[in-house]
Amino acid sequence: LLGEQYRSYSAITLSPCELLVVDAVDLHALMVDEPELGLLLMRNTASVLSRRLRLMNLRLMNVLRSRFL
């Protein structure tokens, strides 16, 4: 979604499911055709990234506190 670098992913599901792989070109076309879906994807992505950044900040602060206190 956010870069041109390849990355591997893994997932565990609670029930059988089918996954759909969407490349960047198809994703962009889908977001143009369905702007509400695009907005939802971007909001969810921003939410996940924000949560991860806050968690990393907390971890960093804990490491710094333990080293300098």
Side-chain angles (χ1 to χ4, degrees):
L1 279 178
L2 300 175
E4 296 178 9
Q5 299 168 341
Y6 289 102
R7 192 169 166 198
S8 62
Y9 295 93
S10 61
I12 298 173
T13 64
L14 299 176
S15 61
C17 64
E18 292 184 34
L19 300 177
L20 174 66
V21 176
V22 180
D23 66 17
V25 172
D26 290 336
L27 179 62
H28 184 264
L30 180 62
M31 292 171 69
V32 168
D33 291 343
E34 301 287 340
E36 289 183 22
L37 177 60
L39 180 60
L40 181 63
L41 283 169
M42 289 301 134
R43 272 194 191 148
N44 287 344
T45 301
S47 177
V48 168
L49 292 175
S50 176
R51 186 172 47 248
R52 288 180 183 177
L53 181 58
R54 281 193 304 273
L55 179 59
M56 191 55 64
N57 284 341
L58 288 172
R59 288 178 179 170
L60 178 59
M61 291 304 297
N62 287 335
V63 167
L64 292 174
R65 281 188 193 122
S66 68
R67 287 188 179 180
F68 297 109
L69 290 179

